[in-house]
Amino acid sequence: MENLCKLFDAEYKFMCIVWEHEPVNSTALTGICEKALGWKKSTTYSMIKKLCERGIMKNEKATVTTLIAREDVQKYEVDVLIDRVFGGSMPSFINAFLQEKTLSAEEAQKIKFLIDGVTKT
């Protein structure tokens, strides 16, 4: 799964567009990418081909769909960040994340609810 979740910046931006519009016609996708990313048609088709070859998406009958969930990629990226920058320490990550930020009572409650849900296993 790690290999599938590792995306370069341009790949991730492209995948976000596909996740937002899927299933999407490949021709329509070239138009969307031209507007959103400034890509030429050939660039979009090259990216589709590359990600299909990696098993990240499929293009059947000119309809592009993803084979991996956005949430899986996000989780992978956060795990890599926490491991690389914070030595795997979630408290250090949360401390750095919350520095100089103000949470509303509702946001703080949601975070507490998430933490409570994880720690009650």
Side-chain angles (χ1 to χ4, degrees):
M1 179 65 97
E2 177 182 319
N3 224 12
L4 294 178
C5 290
K6 184 176 184 174
L7 299 173
F8 293 102
D9 230 17
E11 293 171 338
Y12 183 76
K13 288 176 184 175
F14 177 70
M15 288 292 290
C16 286
I17 290 170
V18 178
W19 282 317
E20 186 177 324
H21 294 90
E22 73 179 320
V24 60
N25 175 275
S26 58
T27 302
L29 185 56
T30 63
I32 295 167
C33 289
E34 182 179 6
K35 287 179 185 173
L37 304 172
W39 287 4
K40 294 182 179 179
K41 182 189 224 180
S42 60
T43 305
T44 299
Y45 281 120
S46 292
M47 185 65 78
I48 291 169
K49 183 177 188 249
K50 177 182 176 182
L51 295 177
C52 285
E53 288 172 353
R54 287 178 49 198
I56 294 172
M57 65 176 33
K58 67 180 179 177
N59 183 11
E60 292 181 346
K61 299 180 182 177
T63 300
V64 178
T65 55
T66 61
L67 298 173
I68 186 165
R70 181 190 308 239
E71 294 78 15
D72 291 337
V73 174
Q74 290 170 335
K75 182 186 178 319
Y76 169 80
E77 290 290 341
V78 169
D79 288 347
V80 167
L81 173 73
I82 292 170
D83 284 345
R84 183 174 53 86
V85 178
F86 301 98
S89 171
M90 182 62 73
S92 295
F93 168 73
I94 292 172
N95 184 53
F97 180 74
L98 293 175
Q99 288 295 323
E100 300 180 24
K101 289 193 175 46
T102 304
L103 295 177
S104 69
E106 183 181 339
E107 289 171 323
Q109 187 62 35
K110 285 180 181 179
I111 291 170
K112 183 180 180 324
F113 177 77
L114 292 170
I115 292 170
D116 288 346
V118 171
T119 58
K120 290 183 180 177
T121 357

